[in-house]
Amino acid sequence: MKELFSIFFFTSLWLTFAGYINNVFNKFFISDQKFQKIIFLSLSLGFIFSFLVLAELNLLSHLFGISLLTLKIVIPLSFIIIFFNFKNIKHFSLKIFSLINQLRNSIRNSLRNSLKKRDILIISLLLVFTIQTICLIIRAFLPLTHLDAMGQYFYDSLQISRLEDINLLEFYEMGMYFRSDSLASFFDATFIELTNNWFLLRLTRLISLFLVIFSSIELLFNLGSFNFKKSLLFICLILTLPDVWSVFISGKHDGYTFLFEFIGIYIIFLSIQTKDKFFKICLSLFSVFLGFICASIRLSSLSFLLISFLLLTYFLFR
C-alpha cells in the first residue's frame, strides 16, 4: 500500500511539472514548424524537476533532523496536487496517450512492411534488441546483496533513510560522511523512507532509461531523420552503452546522469535551432541549470556544465 501511495504522489508531481513545461514550450514553438513533437522532452524535464524537488526536500529536512516519515504529508499532498492541477494533468495525459497510439500504429506498420520485405538489417536489430532487453531484465532482478549495489551508492541512500532525528551536522561530527555528489542519494532515500524497500529506486532508474530512449527518437524526429530503421538502430546503440548497463548492475546514479545530460544536449539543440534571441538565452541558462544538477549527482559532469556555460557566453556576447 505504501508503494502505491508513493507512486501516486510521484506520478502526480511528475505530470504536473511536465504539463506546465509542455504548455510553455508550445507557446514558444507554436509558430516553429521544426519542432512538432516535444512531449517526451516535457516528460523528461518533469521527471528532472520532480527529482530535484524530492531530493532537496529530503536534504533540507535532514539538515534540521526531520525525517519525511514524521512529516506525513505525502498522501494529502498528492490529492492537493491533483485537485489544483486536474485540468492540466488530464490535458497532458491525453496528449501522451494520443502520441503512444500514433507510435504504436507507426511501429506496427513499419514492422509489418519490414518483415514482408525480409529486411536483414531490421531482423538483426530486432534480435539484438531482444537479447539486450532480456539481459537488462535479468540484471534488474539481481539481489541487493550484490557488492556494487550496497558498496557504492545504495548504501548512502540507506544511511540517509535511517538518520531519523539526527541532523546532517551531527552526522558529520560523528565521523560519518556522504559522497560529495550525493544529491541522487537523497532522492533515493526518499522512497526508502516512505516504503522501506528498494522497488521504487529501481523503477525510477528504469523510467530514466525509457525517457532517454523515447526522447532520443523525438530528437531524431525534430531533426527530420525519423524512420523505423534509424530509430531501432539508435535504441540498440543506447542499450549498448556502459552507463545503461550500470543502471541495473550497480547502485550508481549513472542512469539519472545519463538522462539529465542527454536532456541538456536536447535543450542545447533547441537553443541553436530557434531563431528567437531571448529564447536562445533562456534555453542556454536552463542547460547551465541542468549542468549544475548533473554535477551534484556526479562530479565528472563538470565537463557538461562547462560546455553549457560556454554556449551561454557565446549567445550573450555574439
Side-chain angles (χ1 to χ4, degrees), residues 182-196:
S182 59
L183 184 64
S185 296
F186 282 93
F187 174 74
D188 288 342
T190 303
F191 294 115
I192 299 178
E193 290 176 39
L194 295 175
T195 64
N196 202 33

Side-chain angles (χ1 to χ4, degrees), residues 184-220:
S185 296
F186 282 93
F187 174 74
D188 288 342
T190 303
F191 294 115
I192 299 178
E193 290 176 39
L194 295 175
T195 64
N196 202 33
N197 67 46
W198 304 89
F199 170 73
L200 287 180
L201 276 67
R202 294 184 167 189
L203 180 62
T204 52
R205 283 165 168 75
L206 184 62
I207 290 172
S208 67
L209 176 57
F210 283 141
L211 289 174
V212 168
I213 290 173
F214 287 109
S215 296
S216 63
I217 294 174
E218 183 179 86
L219 178 58
L220 285 175

Side-chain angles (χ1 to χ4, degrees), residues 110-259:
S110 300
L111 185 59
R112 187 180 301 165
N113 294 332
S114 300
L115 293 177
K116 283 182 180 179
K117 295 177 181 178
R118 297 181 180 179
D119 192 315
I120 297 177
L121 177 59
I122 288 184
I123 294 174
S124 301
L125 289 174
L126 286 172
L127 179 62
V128 170
F129 172 75
T130 303
I131 294 172
Q132 288 173 322
T133 304
I134 292 173
C135 291
L136 281 171
I137 291 173
I138 293 173
R139 290 186 177 274
F141 289 97
L142 280 175
L144 283 176
T145 51
H146 191 259
L147 179 61
D148 286 342
M150 293 306 296
Q152 297 188 42
Y153 294 84
F154 275 162
Y155 184 68
D156 286 356
S157 301
L158 184 62
Q159 280 184 301
I160 294 169
S161 67
R162 298 298 185 260
L163 287 177
E164 295 184 355
D165 59 346
I166 300 175
N167 63 49
L168 293 181
L169 294 179
E170 292 172 343
F171 183 76
Y172 292 137
E173 289 173 357
M174 292 165 59
M176 307 301 290
Y177 65 93
F178 296 123
R179 301 171 199 275
S180 54
D181 47 352
S182 59
L183 184 64
S185 296
F186 282 93
F187 174 74
D188 288 342
T190 303
F191 294 115
I192 299 178
E193 290 176 39
L194 295 175
T195 64
N196 202 33
N197 67 46
W198 304 89
F199 170 73
L200 287 180
L201 276 67
R202 294 184 167 189
L203 180 62
T204 52
R205 283 165 168 75
L206 184 62
I207 290 172
S208 67
L209 176 57
F210 283 141
L211 289 174
V212 168
I213 290 173
F214 287 109
S215 296
S216 63
I217 294 174
E218 183 179 86
L219 178 58
L220 285 175
F221 182 85
N222 287 326
L223 283 170
S225 304
F226 177 83
N227 62 47
F228 180 70
K229 185 181 294 185
K230 290 181 180 179
S231 300
L232 187 58
L233 176 60
F234 209 66
I235 291 173
C236 291
L237 289 174
I238 290 174
L239 292 179
T240 308
L241 295 174
D243 277 357
V244 171
W245 287 94
S246 69
V247 171
F248 295 116
I249 292 175
S250 70
K252 293 181 181 180
H253 304 316
D254 299 60
Y256 300 137
T257 311
F258 185 27
L259 171 64

